[in-house]
Amino acid sequence: MQQQNQQQATPQQSTGLPQVKGPEMNDRDRINDVLAMIKYMNVAYNVAVNEASNDTLYQMQMNILTNLHQAQRDVYNAMAAKGWYKTDPADMQKIQQTYQQFSNYQTQFPYS
Amino acid sequence: MQLSTKDLNYLKDELSWELLAFKKCHHYAQESQDPQIKQLIDQVGRMHQQHYQQILTHLDPHATMAAPPQAQAGVNPSLSQ
């Protein structure tokens, strides 16, 4: 699982975080922990859903799983909006290369 | 409803995760400075408590297994969609 949400020095952001960070948890640490927790529960519920013995249990846990996915997205979006979750764009040339490589595999497609 | 041993083990685990989750969210929401973060964490906490109650319903031997309450989708409709 990729973790791209490490704390970085982002002085241009006015996020309400202390300029000099101490050992105590700040808002960013807390929301980051909530995100990690939800992501863990997503994986755990997925295993449970796969093994539910009856449809009622399956539906109940599937419903919870859907809520958790939505919550994970809401938390991610909030963090991204605050500049707390930076992603770095992939290299254009590597995308092109990958496209080319996997396009060539079309010779292996069994379905017309 | 008939539960398998495996079902019961999962449900127990789930109850434990949810309990810890909403206690943590409640605690974090109180500590948070940013009102937006505070509210978001609070909503996540409420969702987890609803999940707890929902799962518990399935373990109640006296429950009439009619329609278990559906938890709301998403915690922050303003941010999603």
Side-chain angles (χ1 to χ4, degrees), chain A residues 28-95:
Chain A
R28 184 172 170 176
D29 296 324
R30 282 184 280 269
I31 197 71
N32 213 151
D33 187 36
V34 169
L35 181 69
M37 175 184 73
I38 297 173
K39 283 165 83 170
Y40 166 79
M41 289 172 76
N42 275 333
V43 175
Y45 268 102
N46 196 50
V47 175
V49 160
N50 282 332
E51 309 215 333
S53 77
N54 65 68
D55 281 347
T56 309
L57 270 188
Y58 170 81
Q59 279 307 333
M60 190 260 302
Q61 290 171 116
M62 202 54 204
N63 185 40
I64 290 176
L65 185 56
T66 304
N67 288 344
L68 289 176
H69 278 133
Q70 187 60 58
Q72 185 279 135
R73 204 62 199 163
D74 291 343
V75 170
Y76 168 77
N77 285 339
M79 291 176 74
K82 290 200 175 293
W84 292 349
Y85 209 119
K86 295 280 175 56
T87 57
D88 77 313
D91 188 77
M92 275 309 291
Q93 208 186 335
K94 291 216 168 111
I95 296 175

Side-chain angles (χ1 to χ4, degrees), chain B residues 25-70:
Chain B
C25 287
H26 181 73
H27 181 79
Y28 280 179
Q30 282 183 323
E31 282 185 344
S32 291
Q33 308 296 309
D34 186 316
Q36 203 194 336
I37 295 298
K38 206 182 188 63
Q39 198 203 358
L40 181 56
I41 294 180
D42 188 66
Q43 280 173 317
V44 172
R46 286 171 196 279
M47 175 194 67
H48 286 303
Q49 189 178 312
Q50 278 190 10
H51 289 166
Y52 187 95
Q53 287 167 319
Q54 214 180 332
I55 297 166
L56 198 58
T57 310
H58 288 263
L59 293 174
D60 184 355
H62 305 296
T64 51
M65 285 307 294
Q70 300 282 304

